[in-house]
C-alpha cells in the first residue's frame, strides 16, 4: 500500500519578526511565502497573534491575495480573531492557545476545559468553509474532546519532543515520542485527520514524516533560521527531501 505524500506547511511568521525588529518594510513575509510555494510548500501558515508581534492584519490581506497554495491561518479562539477569519474564509484555521508573555505557543489548547464554547466557535468557522484544526498535546482527554467539539483535524504539539532531543535527553524524548504516536493512533481511530508541528528541524522531522497517519507538518522557525545561511528555497527543499526519505 502506498502512503499518501505528507504535506509541508511553511510558517512564515518569523520573516515578519525580523521585519518588525527594525520597523522596516523588509523582509516581506509575502515574498517569503511565494518562495516557499516555488520550493514545494503545500501550504503557508501564518499566526496573527493578538499582540501582532510578527504577522499583522495587512500581511493576512496580502497573503490571501497572493497565494496559490492554501493559507493555514493560526489564531487564538477569540471573538476578534473569529471576525477576521470569517471575513477572509481561509482554507484552514488552526486554533492555538495564546498567552501574551510567552515566547512561542508553549502548550496545547485546553479543548476539554472549553468544549461548550469551542463547539459553537468551530461550527461558525466550518459553516464559512474553513477546515478547523486544534493545536493540542497528546493527552487522550484532549484528543477525545477534539473529536466531540466537531473539529475534523488536530495538530499535535511536537515542541517538547524537539526540546528533549536538543537537550540530549534521549529517554525523555523517546517517552514523549511514544506519547505522540499513541495520540496519533487514538486520533485516527476517532476519525480525526492528524497534523503535527512546532520546533521541528532536520534533526527531529524523521519520526513524524515516517508516520503514515500524519498528513501534514507545519514548520517555521527552523526553516527561516536556516534560510539566513543557505537561502529559503534550498532550506525548504532539504526539509522536503528529508520528509520524503523518511516516508519511504
Ligand atoms: N504549528 C503551530 C500550531 C504553531 O503555533 C507553530 C508556531 O507558530 C508551528 C506549527 C511552527 O512552529 P515552529 O515555528 O517552531 O516550526
Amino acid at each position: 500500500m502506498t502512503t499518501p505524500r505528507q504535506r509541508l506547511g511553511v510558517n512564515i511568521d518569523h520573516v515578519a519578526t525580523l521585519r518588525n525588529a527594525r520597523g522596516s518594510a523588509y523582509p516581506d513575509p509575502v515574498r517569503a511565502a511565494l518562495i516557499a510555494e516555488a520550493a514545494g510548500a503545500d501550504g503557508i501558515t501564518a499566526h496573527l497573534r493578538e499582540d501582532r508581534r510578527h504577522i499583522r492584519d495587512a500581511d493576512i490581506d496580502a497573503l490571501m491575495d497572493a497565494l496559490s497554495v492554501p493559507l493555514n491561518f493560526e489564531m487564538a479562539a477569540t471573538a476578534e480573531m473569529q471576525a477576521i477569519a470569517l471575513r477572509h474564509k481561509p482554507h484552514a484555521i488552526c486554533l492555538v492557545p495564546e498567552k501574551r508573555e510567552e515566547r512561542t505557543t508553549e502548550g496545547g489548547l485546553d479543548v476539554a476545559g472549553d468544549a461548550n464554547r469551542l463547539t459553537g466557535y468551530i461550527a461558525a468557522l466550518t459553516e464559512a468553509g474553513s477546515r478547523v484544526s486544534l493545536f493540542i498535546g497528546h493527552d487522550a482527554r484532549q484528543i477525545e474532546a477534539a473529536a466531540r467539539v466537531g473539529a475534523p483535524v488536530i495538530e499535535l504539539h511536537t515542541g517538547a519532543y524537539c526540546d528533549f532531543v536538543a537537550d540530549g535527553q534521549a529517554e525523555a524524548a523517546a517517552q514523549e515520542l511514544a506519547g505522540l504516536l499513541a495520540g496519533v493512533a487514538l486520533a485516527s481511530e476517532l476519525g480525526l485527520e492528524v497534523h503535527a508541528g512546532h520546533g521541528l528541524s532536520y534533526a527531529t522531522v524523521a519520526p513524524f514524516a515516517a508516520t503514515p497517519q500524519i498528513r501534514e507538518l507545519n514548520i517555521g522557525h527552523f526553516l527561516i533560521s536556516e534560510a539566513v545561511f543557505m537561502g529559503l528555497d534550498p532550506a525548504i527543499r532539504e526539509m522536503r527531501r528529508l520528509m520524503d526519505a523518511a516516508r519511504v
Side-chain angles (χ1 to χ4, degrees):
M1 202 180 82
T2 53
T3 305
R5 183 178 178 273
Q6 190 175 53
R7 294 190 298 271
L8 169 61
V10 173
N11 180 317
I12 43 86
D13 291 350
H14 296 299
V15 176
T17 303
L18 192 56
R19 175 195 63 191
N20 298 356
R22 288 291 292 270
S24 54
Y26 63 85
D28 178 7
V30 176
R31 184 174 169 196
L34 295 177
I35 292 170
E37 254 187 33
D42 301 292
I44 298 297
T45 296
H47 183 178
L48 185 66
R49 293 187 77 103
E50 267 192 289
D51 62 8
R52 311 303 200 263
R53 71 172 72 154
H54 38 56
I55 293 294
R56 298 173 179 151
D57 300 64
D59 295 323
I60 298 293
D61 296 343
L63 285 166
M64 287 297 296
D65 285 347
L67 290 181
S68 311
V69 295
L71 176 69
N72 175 29
F73 181 51
E74 279 183 17
M75 60 182 225
T78 63
E80 182 204 13
M81 288 299 152
Q82 191 182 47
I84 294 170
L86 291 174
R87 199 165 67 243
H88 285 297
K89 302 181 175 48
H91 165 79
I93 292 171
C94 182
L95 298 180
V96 301
E98 219 176 275
K99 290 193 221 100
R100 254 168 215 271
E101 63 278 13
E102 71 191 354
R103 259 189 300 176
T104 182
T105 312
E106 280 162 8
L109 199 63
D110 180 14
V111 183
D114 199 13
N116 287 344
R117 187 183 75 92
L118 283 173
T119 302
Y121 193 93
I122 292 166
L125 298 171
T126 304
E127 266 166 41
S130 295
R131 185 205 66 194
V132 177
S133 79
L134 303 177
F135 188 47
I136 57 175
H138 57 69
D139 175 5
R141 216 174 116 250
Q142 297 297 346
I143 295 169
E144 284 159 3
R148 278 200 307 276
V149 298
V153 182
I154 59 164
E155 179 167 329
L156 289 176
H157 198 314
T158 53
Y161 169 76
C162 295
D163 288 345
F164 288 135
V165 171
D167 295 344
Q169 296 187 56
E171 209 171 298
Q175 241 179 48
E176 180 63 16
L177 182 60
L180 284 162
L181 296 181
V184 172
L186 173 62
S188 302
E189 263 171 42
L190 294 171
L192 295 165
E193 180 172 317
V194 183
H195 301 174
H198 211 282
L200 293 173
S201 68
Y202 298 153
T204 50
V205 75
F208 305 105
T211 303
Q213 300 96 324
I214 301 180
R215 302 298 310 280
E216 178 176 310
L217 298 180
N218 285 297
I219 309 178
H221 186 254
F222 175 82
L223 289 173
I224 303 306
S225 304
E226 274 304 286
V228 172
F229 302 107
M230 66 157 97
L232 187 55
D233 178 286
I236 293 169
R237 286 181 196 275
E238 175 60 5
M239 187 61 83
R240 179 77 258 173
R241 189 188 69 73
L242 291 170
M243 287 166 63
D244 293 341
R247 199 84 167 162
V248 170

